[in-house]
Amino acid sequence: MTNPYGQQPPYGQPPQGYGPPSGGLPTPYGQPGYGPGGLPGGDMNAIKDYKGWAIASLFLGGVILGIFAIMKSNEVGTYKMQGNYAMAEQASRTTKTLCLVSTILGGVGCVFAIVMIVVMIVAASTVSCYSGYC
């Protein structure tokens, strides 16, 4: 049987005339070109996801803020894999803000708890002294 489209190369050899395109790929829909690493003039790995801090904020500042911080941290990785670096940067900033607020609230809560424990111990010792058990 003959091939109407011409001679086929033997198996194991690539067909002639095909190869990578010459030049760079055009940017779709008029979007600006990105530098090496995906960011305009920067590195894709420069966008932090703050995953460790988000997990720690789950325990430090409360369940609700910690869960939202972890969700935003996961969005950073998703956007980076999709190549949407602007949204990845925005999600990274939101994650950092959530983690910061959660850590501050957790620190204030810990200080408040320590003060309340000290006040209760002092109050308990004062009550026992007034009742004659000192």
Side-chain angles (χ1 to χ4, degrees):
M1 179 173 193
T2 62
N3 186 352
Y5 300 110
Q7 183 88 13
Q8 290 281 335
Y11 290 111
Q13 293 182 359
Q16 300 297 322
Y18 296 105
S22 60
L25 296 174
T27 56
Y29 307 111
Q31 294 176 356
Y34 291 101
L39 289 177
D43 185 19
M44 168 174 96
N45 294 327
I47 301 175
K48 294 183 180 181
D49 60 358
Y50 300 105
K51 185 157 310 267
W53 192 8
I55 292 171
S57 71
L58 179 69
F59 299 107
L60 293 176
V63 175
I64 295 176
L65 285 177
I67 289 173
F68 283 126
I70 291 171
M71 287 171 37
K72 278 296 181 182
S73 175
N74 289 337
E75 283 183 17
V76 172
T78 302
Y79 287 136
K80 281 170 49 174
M81 285 191 300
Q82 292 174 352
N84 192 349
Y85 302 111
M87 289 300 294
E89 183 69 33
Q90 182 180 359
S92 176
R93 285 192 304 267
T94 304
T95 302
K96 184 177 179 181
T97 303
L98 285 171
C99 290
L100 187 63
V101 168
S102 180
T103 303
I104 289 171
L105 288 177
V108 169
C110 286
V111 168
F112 181 73
I114 291 171
V115 168
M116 290 305 294
I117 290 171
V118 169
V119 166
M120 288 193 306
I121 290 172
V122 168
S125 67
T126 305
V127 168
S128 66
C129 285
Y130 286 132
S131 62
Y133 294 113
C134 273

